Amino acid sequence: MSENHLKAKMVVDRTFKISDVNPRIYGSFIEHLGRAVYGGLYEPGHPTADEHGFRQDVINMVKELQVPIIRYPGGNMVSAYNWEDGVGPKEKRPKRLELAWRSLETNEVGTNEFVEWAKKVNAEVMMAVNLGTRGIDAARNLVEYCNHPAGSYWSDLRREHGYKDPHNIKVWCLGNEMDGPWQIGHKTAYEYGRLAAETAKAMKLVDPTIELVSCGSSNTAMPTFPQWEADTLEYTYEYADYISMHQYYGNTENDTANYLAKSMDMEDFIKTVISVCDYIKAKKRSKKTMYLSFDEWNVWFHSNEQDKKLEPWTVAPPLLEDVYNFEDALLVGSMLNTLLRHSDRVKMACMAQLVNVIAPIMTETGGGIWKQTIFYPYYYTSVYGRGTALNTVVESPKYDSKDFTDVPYLDQAVVYNEEKEELVIFATNRHLDNMLLVDIDIRSFEGFELVEHIVLEHNDPKAVNLLHDQQVKPHNNGESYFENDKLVAVLPKMSWNMIRLRKKSSN
Ligand code: AHR
């Protein structure tokens, strides 16, 4: 074993339950932005396009991720969107100036097409309504169009458009980032709270089975955070089932140690929002617990400068096309761990976004497809992180960075899948130079054996994946082993790991 290693300890016990993991925490997001829709999931002239113009190569790769829910159609875009523009005969759909991203929106893809596409990738739709330029009427009509079986104006219009059965969309976002001055129709907390509550009331009258997400702050740096949450929940608590959270990180100061600690900010954010929700719960003497929908999270900063140079009012400009590097994948892994550790309150989350726009999947318009570095932690956590999240007792060496103190080198989350009798450990080693040896006491998992130890590692934190040059890929040669009934996890320097154990079969 290398001389340069640090030691950590963990205790994992099947009785230390946090919560069942809601698979919806592995959701994602498609906005009408850049090449997410046009040139991403929809490209009729593409060699792999199906009869509806959807790229089959994209469908296949999205299916690999097992994304259970996808937020649509925005994002900032939804705040000036007329959903009626995107339904009915395609040749009659208007081209519109899309104000949020200053692009040209052809409306070739709209609600029905997206619902069709989501079915192909086995995902449910999380639909956002426009509370920027519109309000109660447009929102309740959209619920009627999508979810009412038949016999009313909007449901019959859907049937006329070729969709006999209702879409039955369960989850609806009451606007997007309404606290942000950049939002079209930006509102004060009072204005938003009242509008969201009245809209929610009308939407639930149309379909009482829907679940609603009230807008939380756009990020922790907003001057109105967390007062916005408290003020808006005063009005929406009764109607909403979730409050939204959004957060993006970047390594703008090029300080890897500090960057890798940024999931600690995400953790504080979650704790604060939980506190505010519970304060309002107490204030209202409510029996209802508000859940969190972390429906935009990711790394986003690489493309900021290049985006400023793009010409406005074009169709599908290459906006927000961050090329992710290896250290971004490490942070994404830790962000996923953070969601898992809070799975008792975070019941939905969306990696923002899914294709081409700050995305794990990239395409060339008319050409190929590839996996960005961040694809891998998302893939493994989504596919194997299903079951019950377990609390762990951890002793890890720590470091201080520019913005954080006591950052554990070991960042982890553990999921036990009772049905498959599998125990899965997700672990990031934040140390830039040293390997971490973690003694893991898995005392209540007697008779479990190692199935695989997947490692994502690279010497260069800035290594990237391009269409024809995939530098960052996981391997299955992790060196974890058992010693006296204890699992020793061997985490290479700067690495993301998944260690999967399974109960030995009795034969
Ligand atoms: O995901 C990109 C943008 O980030 C979304 O449109 C907006 O909601 C957020 O600010």
Side-chain angles (χ1 to χ4, degrees), residues 121-181:
V121 299
N122 308 320
E124 64 171 316
V125 174
M126 178 193 288
M127 185 68 84
V129 300
N130 175 355
L131 292 193
T133 59
R134 306 188 80 186
I136 305 173
D137 222 33
R140 59 123 180 185
N141 292 346
L142 181 56
V143 178
E144 183 182 321
Y145 181 90
C146 290
N147 288 8
H148 195 69
S152 68
Y153 177 80
W154 292 105
S155 58
D156 286 345
L157 189 64
R158 183 199 67 240
R159 291 165 69 94
E160 226 174 83
H161 291 162
Y163 296 86
K164 188 170 159 290
D165 295 327
H167 297 322
N168 282 328
I169 295 173
K170 280 281 159 265
V171 182
W172 295 76
C173 302
L174 296 162
N176 176 73
E177 296 190 348
M178 298 309 303
D179 61 325

Side-chain angles (χ1 to χ4, degrees), residues 412-458:
Q412 51 71 43
V414 177
V415 177
Y416 174 48
N417 187 321
E418 199 166 347
E419 211 178 299
K420 293 192 192 159
E421 294 202 281
E422 270 188 12
L423 182 67
V424 187
I425 299 161
F426 301 99
T428 309
N429 176 6
R430 292 183 171 117
H431 205 294
L432 307 187
D433 304 303
N434 290 348
M435 169 189 283
L436 194 54
L437 293 186
V438 192
D439 272 353
I440 310 184
D441 179 346
I442 56 160
R443 53 203 185 172
S444 59
F445 291 97
E446 266 169 45
F448 274 58
E449 63 186 351
L450 204 54
V451 179
E452 61 180 354
H453 176 178
I454 304 286
V455 185
L456 193 66
E457 60 179 329
H458 203 287

Side-chain angles (χ1 to χ4, degrees), residues 192-355:
Y192 173 73
R194 285 286 303 125
L195 177 62
E198 292 303 321
T199 306
K201 201 158 89 185
M203 290 167 80
K204 280 199 170 172
L205 279 171
V206 177
D207 181 354
T209 71
I210 59 176
E211 299 166 40
L212 296 175
V213 186
S214 185
C215 270
S217 295
S218 299
N219 56 67
T220 47
M222 297 302 293
T224 46
F225 170 74
Q227 195 58 43
W228 169 274
E229 279 72 1
D231 291 345
T232 56
L233 284 175
E234 282 286 352
Y235 302 102
T236 61
Y237 202 91
E238 195 183 324
Y239 305 103
D241 303 279
Y242 311 85
I243 185 159
S244 74
M245 301 177 69
H246 292 179
Q247 190 70 45
Y248 297 96
Y249 295 112
N251 191 1
T252 37
E253 58 283 268
N254 197 13
D255 174 346
T256 300
N258 192 53
Y259 181 53
L260 297 184
K262 289 193 179 182
S263 55
M264 290 178 70
D265 178 75
M266 184 186 199
E267 180 120 37
D268 286 346
F269 186 13
I270 292 173
K271 286 181 184 162
T272 305
V273 174
I274 291 173
S275 308
V276 177
C277 291
D278 291 350
Y279 161 69
I280 299 294
K281 177 180 182 177
K283 200 170 164 205
K284 288 185 173 289
R285 304 333 187 224
S286 174
K287 294 219 176 330
K288 174 167 130 188
T289 298
M290 185 63 58
Y291 291 111
L292 313 188
S293 171
F294 214 128
D295 47 43
E296 283 189 38
W297 68 268
N298 203 348
V299 168
W300 171 17
F301 75 109
H302 297 285
S303 59
N304 293 352
E305 287 310 308
Q306 77 206 34
D307 284 351
K308 291 181 190 151
K309 297 178 200 139
L310 291 173
E311 281 295 311
W313 316 127
T314 62
V315 177
L319 277 162
L320 278 66
E321 300 209 356
D322 275 42
V323 176
Y324 290 115
N325 60 31
F326 171 59
E327 65 185 13
D328 298 329
L330 294 181
L331 180 61
V332 160
S334 291
M335 291 176 87
L336 285 158
N337 288 347
T338 310
L339 294 173
L340 278 171
R341 290 197 302 268
H342 290 281
S343 51
D344 54 335
R345 293 299 287 270
V346 180
K347 296 293 177 189
M348 296 195 292
C350 303
M351 176 188 257
Q353 299 189 10
L354 186 55
V355 184

Side-chain angles (χ1 to χ4, degrees), residues 48-167:
T48 71
D50 66 11
E51 71 280 16
H52 303 292
F54 295 127
R55 283 180 66 150
Q56 191 61 50
D57 56 350
V58 173
I59 290 172
N60 294 345
M61 207 175 269
V62 172
K63 277 166 81 177
E64 276 185 58
L65 288 168
Q66 298 187 15
V67 186
I69 188 164
I70 305 179
R71 188 162 172 256
Y72 177 85
N76 294 339
M77 172 271 189
V78 81
S79 296
Y81 180 54
N82 298 333
W83 67 265
E84 301 87 340
D85 291 346
V87 296
K90 285 199 181 187
E91 63 286 0
K92 291 199 178 146
R93 296 187 191 174
K95 279 198 180 71
R96 296 269 188 207
L97 295 187
E98 195 291 290
L99 300 187
W101 304 102
R102 305 188 77 226
S103 313
L104 201 59
E105 172 58 56
T106 65
N107 284 305
E108 276 169 84
V109 172
T111 302
N112 295 319
E113 289 80 19
F114 188 73
V115 167
E116 284 287 319
W117 182 81
K119 267 190 210 140
K120 288 174 193 272
V121 299
N122 308 320
E124 64 171 316
V125 174
M126 178 193 288
M127 185 68 84
V129 300
N130 175 355
L131 292 193
T133 59
R134 306 188 80 186
I136 305 173
D137 222 33
R140 59 123 180 185
N141 292 346
L142 181 56
V143 178
E144 183 182 321
Y145 181 90
C146 290
N147 288 8
H148 195 69
S152 68
Y153 177 80
W154 292 105
S155 58
D156 286 345
L157 189 64
R158 183 199 67 240
R159 291 165 69 94
E160 226 174 83
H161 291 162
Y163 296 86
K164 188 170 159 290
D165 295 327
H167 297 322

